[in-house]
Amino acid sequence: MNFSKEQILERCNQFSQNTLMQTLQIEYIDAGADFLVARMPVNPAVHQPMGLLHGGASVALAESVGSAASFFYINPELQEVRGIEISANHLKSIREGYVYGTARIIHKGRSLHLWEIKITDEEGNLVSLCKLTNMVLDRQKK
């Protein structure tokens, strides 16, 4: 990555405006050479009927942070990223607070990126473990 931590976080939070990420109140909070972290509040807006964090909201957090992380390994003027597969194992339930999604690169190829995203609670307990595959595509000329 050729961006500072501050540039990465500013850019991620900026391109989240008027998207699902804004609706879910996902905020990018930390970044490094091989990881990106976002957090999401757990409240009734992301609960399932039993008052627990909805698995779909967890997956939305995972795909958001993993896709954003891939963006910093491509040339955005020539390429774009598409998530093509995501899997999730939900291991712990949570009713309130924040969950944190940390994406770490497993494989960085020219056309595929594979990410592991760990979703944890505020105490660092593993809530969900996700794997995301992103495809890198050439931008279509307009």
Side-chain angles (χ1 to χ4, degrees):
M1 283 189 230
N2 297 323
F3 302 94
S4 72
K5 173 182 170 177
E6 292 75 21
Q7 289 173 314
I8 291 169
L9 298 177
E10 180 181 344
R11 192 154 201 185
C12 287
N13 286 311
Q14 181 182 33
F15 66 57
S16 293
Q17 298 301 309
N18 301 312
T19 67
L20 178 66
M21 287 79 77
Q22 183 177 16
T23 301
L24 297 177
Q25 297 180 291
I26 294 172
E27 176 187 15
Y28 295 89
I29 61 168
D30 198 10
D34 67 343
F35 72 94
L36 181 63
V37 181
R39 74 177 184 170
M40 180 179 69
V42 179
N43 55 43
V46 296
H47 282 169
Q48 42 91 309
M50 299 303 294
L52 302 169
L53 174 63
H54 192 291
S58 296
V59 171
L61 172 61
E63 185 155 357
S64 297
V65 71
S67 293
S70 273
F71 181 80
F72 294 98
Y73 288 108
I74 66 168
N75 179 339
E77 293 178 13
L78 302 175
Q79 300 169 303
E80 48 193 27
V81 173
R82 297 285 187 278
I84 60 171
E85 182 182 12
I86 189 162
S87 64
N89 293 96
H90 305 299
L91 307 168
K92 182 180 186 313
S93 58
I94 180 172
R95 293 183 183 277
E96 60 185 12
Y98 281 91
V99 286
Y100 298 83
T102 302
R104 292 192 184 277
I105 193 84
I106 295 172
H107 171 76
K108 182 182 67 165
R110 286 182 297 127
S111 59
L112 289 177
H113 295 169
L114 179 62
W115 293 92
E116 175 188 76
I117 301 101
K118 290 183 178 179
I119 299 177
T120 57
D121 63 16
E122 292 173 292
E123 286 77 45
N125 299 307
L126 189 59
V127 173
S128 296
L129 180 61
C130 304
K131 185 176 71 171
L132 171 67
T133 305
N134 290 328
M135 183 179 356
V136 179
L137 299 170
D138 291 334
R139 279 196 181 272
Q140 297 296 316
K141 293 184 172 125
K142 294 181 181 182

